[in-house]
Amino acid sequence: MASDPDGELVARVGAGDRAAARLLVARHVDKLLALARRMLGDGAEAEDAVQDTFLKLWTHAARWQPGGAKFETWLFRVAINACYDRLRKRGTVSLDEAPESPDPGLSPERVLQNVELSKSIQAALDALPPRQRVAILLCHYEGRGNADAAEILGIGVEAVESLLSRGRRALRASLGHLRED
Amino acid sequence: MNDDDERLIALLQDAGTRDRAEPASLALSARILADFDAALARRWSVSRLVDAVWPGAPAWKPAFALGLSLVIGLGVGALLPVYGAPDETSIASDASPGLDFGGDLR
């Protein structure tokens, strides 16, 4: 098994090294936040979920056992559970709010197009059941392999493939209007 | 996987790349690191207490010793009333005799 690229940093965090904590945050926070935003469709709530994820890391780092699950796998699992908790508390899923992330280097027309596209994707993702949504996000949005996603979700690869297949079918139906673009 | 799926995946990948390019706010990173400082301070205060009670011992040892002493204390506390209960016989024998020495002697 390849060595965990975060293993040493996690051990240092467990020993109370603040510089290592800062490096771990810098390495993972953007990915986790992007995933949480797409899971929750709400920027502020996504930030809270990511903060909770790192809080769990700070309290568990001293007990981290190298050689078990890959650290990033564990971290994503914690983040996804934090998102699930929020979705459960919310009860309903918001369809009308989507994060907007305009790139200052793009033309106003392109920015508007991207924002609209982002909203359409968010609305389509929000309409998916949470497990299909997270499978789609891990594999197609994050670019992870099915086996990696299966490990993060704690399910089999076939179950991930089934979630992906159903999720893609629903997204194709929701985003059909974008096919003409 | 058909062409529609491939187009959909490309759309999602593109969205992912764009989203991840937007960095987390400095305020969020600051909040996360403040949590780290607080967690560390809590851990140190606990380890200082453990060190004061049992220098150099891992945390489980004082916790185990405390737990064991609680069990022993509760056990002794539960048994003590049985062995230490006042003996009614001895109280009866200690009772002052109702004798009038003066009257009998006369």
Side-chain angles (χ1 to χ4, degrees), chain B residues 1-82:
Chain B
M1 214 179 295
N2 58 31
D3 286 353
D4 278 352
D5 272 345
E6 282 173 11
R7 267 197 294 274
L8 175 69
I9 290 168
L11 196 68
L12 288 166
Q13 281 173 342
D14 191 41
T17 307
R18 246 182 297 116
D19 288 356
R20 282 188 297 276
E22 187 191 354
S25 67
L26 290 177
L28 175 61
S29 297
R31 268 161 52 195
I32 291 171
L33 287 171
D35 283 345
F36 172 78
D37 293 336
L40 196 61
R42 259 197 312 274
R43 193 163 12 124
W44 278 349
S45 64
V46 169
S47 67
R48 262 201 299 270
L49 179 67
V50 166
D51 221 38
V53 173
W54 193 331
W60 68 266
K61 278 190 178 174
F64 178 76
L66 179 67
L68 189 65
S69 59
L70 269 173
V71 168
I72 292 171
L74 285 171
V76 169
L79 292 173
L80 202 58
V82 176

Side-chain angles (χ1 to χ4, degrees), chain A residues 18 24 48 56 61 68 72-74 79 87 93 143 167:
Chain A
R18 195 176 196 275
L24 268 184
D48 288 346
K56 200 146 201 174
E72 198 181 49
T73 302
W74 177 84
L87 288 172
V93 179

